[in-house]
Amino acid sequence: MPLLATPRLCPRSPRRHTGPLVAAGALLAVGVLLPACTANGSSDNGPTVPASHQVLKVGLSGEPKPVIVGADQGTVGYSLNALIGRGLTQYDATGKVVPALASSYKAVDASTYQFNLRSGLRFNDGSPLTVQNVKNTLLYLSKPTNAARTLKGFENVARVDVKGDQVTVHLKSNDPDFLQYLADPTAFIAPDSSLKNTTAAYVGAGPFKVQRIQKGVKTVLVKNPDFYDASQVKLREVDLIYYPDDQARTNAIISGDVDLIDYVPWTSFTTIKSTDGLRLDAVPGPLMDIEFNVTKGPFANPRVREAVAYAVNRENVANSAFFGNARVTYGIPLDKKSPYLTHDSQNLWSYDPTKAKRLLAQAGYPDGFSATLLTSSQYAFHQDTALSVQADLRKIGIDLKLSSSDWATRMQAATDGNYDIKISGWSGIVTSPAYVEASLGGPDVAKSYHYENPDLMAAFAAGRTGATEAARKAGYAEAFSLVQKDVPLIPLVQRDQGFALANKVKGFTNIPGFASFYSFYAITSTYLVS
């Protein structure tokens, strides 16, 4: 995307605020042989601030948990992973998959991928990164006991062969999305000593390394001289300063205490756009949905889940939680160019409280019931979405008590299944409808707790692995039909996700679509001007 014209600003210069300050509560690129490229591909002339002053201060919406290889630790976790780690592939500024630790790759066939590693690769502690490290990491991610975020893609790995600097991955079945799973920031290659789901893993092969962690305050990262593309990294240091409070985070970018913030509160979009020296970079992509604990209680009954799907007014969610900066969905959100986008896939349910009450009665709950709704007070939009859902379900007799906490506590409750129904914000791991398949089953934080439906999984698998386009369309159509009746999750809105940046920050891009959560890949190309 084009860069905005930049007025001359001094660091920490006062900013004139011209609007009211509001308190805030891709397509897969597969070539036969692809060349290496940077995450941003920027053609800017370079920084005008001296290298010694290239320190980017980031206002981060939460404190990252200790890094675990493969673990889904939310958006702030993806951000840290993208700074200290690298996988075989990554996303560029346009949302395409490009080589990372691999200098090139090719699809031998629909179930075999071949990667050529860059020469001289090292981890950020200076130790060599070998093809054996790659093999061991991929096999670690493929084991269900390690609960990797990318398990749905990696459990398809049959074997990994290594020879010289070449890694060949053989899949059990066709998977045109495999390169996108590899590009997920949680799928970074790690040394063998970090391949334990109880071991903090700060040793990676990314552009930065952790210098120190000040618990509750910030994480300081410094440039990794052993990064394969270190000459293109202009930043000397990145300070991740924790601002879990929306208003405090917004005030920090307005005052100049930080140069960039993630998760711009939707109440502050207009404020950021009207403040001199700042710009808003927002793209549509991430989802808000409802998920269930299906192991017990009323929500184990699919008719109850279906009743919820008809009871929630998505327009209320879009307006109350996102101030209109979201698009409602009554089906499975897909890219408008997706070959699997159909009228049926986008209209699985509707807003129909009368039908919802009838379904609830058919399920054996004519007078409704009480349950616990898990959300988070740390992010106002999570809380506001929960309040909107709570009000809608009260109308059909479901009385929800909110369990609202800080993000770390909410994540643990989601992992442990300590809820009946929950609000979740997440992004698809891949762009095809298979992203829904990856969000089903198990104890993952962004899934319905231990949901299982072999017929649904088989239909998604048919869509993902079909030998022809017609076969894939048929498989996904069957999957959408089963989602409509069994309701493993309920998409509500596809929201705009925004970063706010000082105009002195150049080279950073909010990656479009589902990959917005991975935009810290672009910090490799970020620098500061005066």
Side-chain angles (χ1 to χ4, degrees):
M1 66 187 299
L3 295 175
L4 301 180
T6 308
R8 185 171 179 81
L9 293 175
C10 295
R12 302 294 183 94
S13 60
R15 297 197 173 96
R16 180 173 62 86
H17 179 245
T18 58
L21 178 58
V22 180
L27 294 179
L28 181 63
V30 182
V32 173
L33 203 61
L34 298 181
C37 62
T38 64
N40 186 279
S42 172
S43 60
D44 297 307
N45 293 326
T48 59
V49 170
S52 60
H53 295 160
Q54 289 289 328
V55 178
L56 181 71
K57 296 184 181 300
V58 177
L60 203 63
S61 57
E63 180 174 1
K65 296 172 67 175
V67 175
I68 302 295
V69 177
D72 186 344
Q73 297 176 324
T75 312
V76 295
Y78 309 150
S79 297
L80 182 56
N81 290 348
L83 293 172
I84 66 173
R86 276 298 180 276
L88 290 173
T89 64
Q90 69 174 76
Y91 288 97
D92 72 2
T94 69
K96 291 181 179 179
V97 173
V98 297
L101 296 182
S103 60
S104 61
Y105 54 77
K106 65 179 180 180
V108 178
D109 54 46
S111 62
T112 309
Y113 293 87
Q114 193 174 85
F115 304 87
N116 294 313
L117 287 195
R118 298 174 189 271
S119 60
L121 288 173
R122 291 186 176 275
F123 291 110
N124 57 23
D125 66 351
S127 61
L129 188 160
T130 69
V131 290
Q132 195 63 43
N133 293 129
V134 174
K135 176 178 180 177
N136 292 345
T137 300
L138 299 185
L139 293 178
Y140 171 87
L141 296 171
S142 72
K143 296 178 181 177
T145 53
N146 293 322
R149 165 177 157 84
T150 53
L151 177 62
K152 187 52 63 178
F154 280 95
E155 67 181 354
N156 193 28
V157 173
R159 75 175 195 274
V160 180
D161 296 333
V162 296
K163 182 179 181 181
D165 287 334
Q166 193 170 87
V167 178
T168 303
V169 180
H170 301 270
L171 304 178
K172 300 171 187 175
S173 58
N174 298 348
D175 190 351
D177 302 321
F178 185 66
L179 294 176
Q180 293 185 67
Y181 283 106
L182 289 171
D184 190 281
T186 65
F188 63 91
I189 303 303
D192 293 353
S193 59
S194 295
L195 299 180
K196 302 174 184 177
N197 56 22
T198 57
T199 299
Y202 292 103
V203 177
F208 297 92
K209 57 183 178 179
V210 174
Q211 184 182 69
R212 70 179 185 277
I213 297 175
Q214 190 174 350
K215 188 169 177 59
V217 180
K218 65 180 177 181
T219 295
V220 176
L221 308 172
V222 294
K223 181 178 176 179
N224 172 22
D226 292 315
F227 180 54
Y228 62 81
D229 206 14
S231 63
Q232 298 301 311
V233 179
K234 301 300 189 290
L235 293 173
R236 175 179 65 84
E237 181 179 313
V238 177
D239 296 347
L240 304 178
I241 307 168
Y242 316 143
Y243 289 92
D245 179 78
D246 285 349
Q247 182 177 350
R249 193 165 63 257
T250 301
N251 289 345
I253 188 74
I254 290 173
S255 67
D257 288 341
V258 297
D259 309 309
L260 180 155
I261 64 171
D262 70 341
Y263 266 108
V264 177
W266 288 266
T267 52
S268 299
F269 273 31
T270 299
T271 299
I272 296 299
K273 288 189 285 188
S274 62
T275 300
D276 284 353
L278 299 181
R279 68 184 186 273
L280 176 71
D281 188 352
V283 300
L287 309 176
M288 296 299 293
D289 76 348
I290 294 173
E291 296 158 4
F292 306 94
N293 183 340
V294 301
T295 64
K296 60 182 180 179
F299 296 114
N301 187 324
R303 283 188 182 267
V304 173
R305 301 195 296 267
E306 189 179 4
V308 173
Y310 284 99
V312 177
N313 186 335
R314 276 75 159 174
E315 291 288 351
N316 288 346
V317 173
N319 292 326
S320 64
F322 303 101
F323 297 82
N325 296 297
R327 280 141 298 283
V328 303
T329 178
Y330 284 90
I332 303 299
L334 295 171
D335 185 88
K336 61 183 180 181
K337 296 181 181 179
S338 172
Y340 313 110
L341 182 73
T342 64
H343 178 272
D344 288 344
S345 72
Q346 301 308 293
N347 294 275
L348 301 182
W349 310 284
S350 61
Y351 176 52
D352 191 340
T354 301
K355 183 172 183 176
K357 284 185 69 69
R358 185 166 63 250
L359 287 165
L360 207 58
Q362 292 171 359
Y365 298 96
D367 300 320
F369 56 86
S370 298
T372 300
L373 172 61
L374 179 64
T375 185
S376 173
S377 56
Q378 181 168 322
Y379 293 106
F381 67 95
H382 271 263
Q383 183 94 341
D384 292 342
T385 300
L387 290 170
S388 185
V389 169
Q390 181 188 44
D392 285 339
L393 295 193
R394 185 181 295 121
K395 295 174 183 177
I396 66 167
I398 300 178
D399 183 22
L400 296 177
K401 178 182 178 182
L402 264 58
S403 173
S404 187
S405 63
D406 64 86
W407 190 246
T409 303
R410 181 264 180 206
M411 292 280 280
Q412 192 61 54
T415 301
D416 296 339
N418 290 334
Y419 65 91
D420 296 312
I421 181 174
K422 79 172 185 281
I423 300 299
S424 190
W426 57 288
S427 199
I429 297 180
V430 298
T431 56
S432 76
Y435 81 84
V436 181
E437 177 190 13
S439 70
L440 302 177
D444 194 277
V445 294
K447 298 178 179 179
S448 285
Y449 192 71
H450 285 295
Y451 172 83
E452 293 181 5
N453 183 328
D455 291 339
L456 177 57
M457 300 306 280
F460 270 119
R464 175 170 45 82
T465 65
T468 65
E469 189 65 27
R472 289 191 287 273
K473 286 182 178 180
Y476 282 133
E478 174 65 14
F480 297 150
S481 177
L482 291 169
V483 166
Q484 182 181 39
K485 290 299 182 184
D486 209 40
V487 196
L489 76 172
I490 303 173
L492 299 175
V493 299
Q494 191 168 15
R495 69 182 196 246
D496 286 350
Q497 190 76 12
F499 292 86
L501 306 91
N503 282 347
K504 66 179 180 178
V505 178
K506 296 297 183 183
F508 180 87
T509 299
N510 188 355
I511 301 176
F514 285 165
S516 175
F517 279 168
Y518 314 148
S519 293
F520 273 38
Y521 274 140
I523 287 184
T524 303
S525 304
T526 300
Y527 59 89
L528 304 176
V529 298
S530 57

